[in-house]
Amino acid sequence: MSVKFLCDLYTPGEANVIAFGVPLGRDSKKVLRSLRETSDYVEVFDMDKKINLLDDARISDVGNLKLKKLDEITTTTNNILEVKKIPLILGGGHLLTLYALKAFKDVKLVVFDAHCDLKDDCKDKEIMRLDFINGVKFNPKINDATWLRRACEFMNPKNIFLIGVRSCNEFEFDFIEKNGISYATPNQIKKDIQGVKKRLKQFIDGSEVYISVDIDAFDPSIAPKVDLPEPNGLFLNEFIELIEAFGKSKLAGLDLCCIKDLNDNQRTEFLAIRAILEILSLLSR
Ligand SMILES: [Mn+2]
């Protein structure tokens, strides 16, 4: 029997959170295996909060998608939403978020990422390598660097909040400002985390929220297994503090993506799992 994410004590019927893996990008199957294996070693009890972070999250891991077509991500997400459960999507490249979002009708999107991913097209060789899947041809319009721009074509950009962003070009920045996308850079967070929390709270305003975490939002010193290690990233304490801003808003879905297969210990996976646990603890509030 294959390794499941966070022990997998529940059947899909008993669970309220359904996890699945999206093997999108080179070596992503190895990364997904490592995430699941590492999750076995993480304690879900939080000594500071004195609670089990999974008190109200019953997770069932249904394995990886075959991913012959990217639409499978939308279909699977949709099937989970139809039975009123929360999708927890493990990646894979960030492009998965675009296809997951297509399954939601009305959500606010909070993205933790070093990058804005708002390019209109990207022919970058490096991105091309990342997006390689089962022989599916690289599309300069639909990839890890453009996915959020494509999402803005079917969702209101005012319903998007980027956290930890510190890398974009002037065209992306212009797009952010013209379309009213909210954002908080790590410097803004470090200077005034309470102010950012307040803005985040006002943005969410009790609505359903989808949280996407690109692991490169964190500082590369604590998340080294990434393709583009942008300095001056977030630390876990800041992430935990910001997650508090979600309060009683309803968690509609979440994903964790963009871990790279690198020769390192499991610190990036441990961090990723901690981040997921913090988000799932929202279900207990
Ligand atoms: Mn990124």
Side-chain angles (χ1 to χ4, degrees):
M1 173 140 171
S2 57
V3 195
K4 299 292 184 97
F5 190 70
L6 288 165
C7 295
D8 196 58
L9 297 169
Y10 303 94
T11 65
E14 295 161 341
N16 59 349
V17 178
I18 307 286
F20 67 95
V22 179
L24 179 62
R26 186 185 286 181
D27 291 331
S28 50
K29 278 186 186 155
K30 265 161 107 177
V31 169
L32 287 165
R33 194 183 318 121
S34 178
L35 255 180
R36 287 182 169 108
E37 279 169 3
T38 308
S39 74
D40 213 21
Y41 298 96
V42 177
E43 296 285 1
V44 298
F45 183 77
D46 186 309
M47 283 184 73
D48 292 314
K49 293 177 191 149
K50 301 188 176 83
I51 55 161
N52 179 327
L53 294 170
L54 293 186
D55 255 348
D56 287 301
R58 303 177 303 279
I59 306 169
S60 179
D61 181 358
V62 296
N64 289 346
L65 298 185
K66 291 203 173 59
L67 208 64
K68 294 284 177 222
K69 286 196 325 210
L70 291 165
D71 291 340
E72 277 174 54
I73 302 165
T74 314
T75 315
T76 307
T77 307
N78 207 24
N79 291 344
I80 295 169
L81 295 178
E82 257 175 21
V83 290
K84 307 251 178 295
K85 295 177 196 254
I86 297 164
L88 158 56
I89 314 177
L90 306 169
H94 218 155
L95 185 53
L96 71 86
T97 311
L98 173 67
Y99 286 85
L101 284 172
K102 288 181 184 193
F104 293 86
K105 273 181 204 77
D106 194 20
V107 278
K108 295 219 168 143
L109 171 65
V110 176
V111 186
F112 289 85
D113 201 331
H115 311 93
C116 298
D117 296 345
L118 283 165
K119 294 185 170 58
D120 193 29
D121 55 41
C122 178
K123 300 181 180 81
D124 194 285
K125 287 251 161 55
E126 186 64 11
I127 301 288
M128 205 178 295
R129 189 185 64 74
L130 303 183
D131 275 347
F132 175 84
I133 53 152
N134 306 329
V136 173
K137 242 185 115 197
F138 173 80
N139 185 335
K141 284 273 185 187
I142 305 172
N143 57 59
D144 273 9
T146 65
W147 72 269
L148 192 56
R149 182 69 168 253
R150 296 290 87 77
C152 289
E153 290 163 3
F154 61 83
M155 68 180 289
N156 185 350
K158 292 193 174 62
N159 287 337
I160 300 172
F161 202 128
L162 304 175
I163 300 179
V165 283
R166 53 199 186 274
S167 166
C168 75
N169 64 27
E170 58 270 50
F171 304 108
E172 292 175 276
F173 192 68
D174 195 48
F175 186 86
I176 287 175
E177 300 229 288
K178 281 201 176 115
N179 291 283
I181 295 177
S182 305
Y183 69 96
T185 66
N187 275 338
Q188 290 169 353
I189 292 163
K190 282 169 215 297
K191 261 186 211 140
D192 181 19
I193 195 163
Q194 294 311 324
V196 173
K197 257 176 98 170
K198 210 170 143 194
R199 280 173 54 212
L200 192 52
K201 238 181 226 165
Q202 284 164 350
F203 166 83
I204 297 162
D205 193 27
S207 42
E208 291 213 352
V209 58
Y210 182 99
I211 305 176
S212 173
V213 182
D214 179 329
I215 199 72
D216 71 21
F218 289 100
D219 194 80
S221 62
I222 59 168
K225 284 189 184 177
V226 296
D227 274 294
L228 305 162
E230 285 291 337
N232 196 20
L234 298 179
F235 287 89
L236 185 60
N237 280 345
E238 293 161 336
F239 180 87
I240 292 172
E241 179 86 39
L242 290 171
I243 287 297
E244 273 180 21
F246 290 84
K248 286 197 182 307
S249 58
K250 196 168 171 293
L251 180 67
L254 70 155
D255 67 53
L256 187 295
C257 60
C258 301
I259 297 178
K260 181 189 185 172
D261 182 45
L262 255 189
N263 200 7
D264 188 60
N265 63 15
Q266 264 50 58
R267 67 183 137 159
T268 309
E269 287 88 336
F270 266 90
L271 176 72
I273 293 152
R274 284 268 159 232
I276 292 172
L277 289 173
E278 286 297 329
I279 297 172
L280 289 176
S281 77
L282 288 172
L283 298 178
S284 316
R285 295 176 203 184

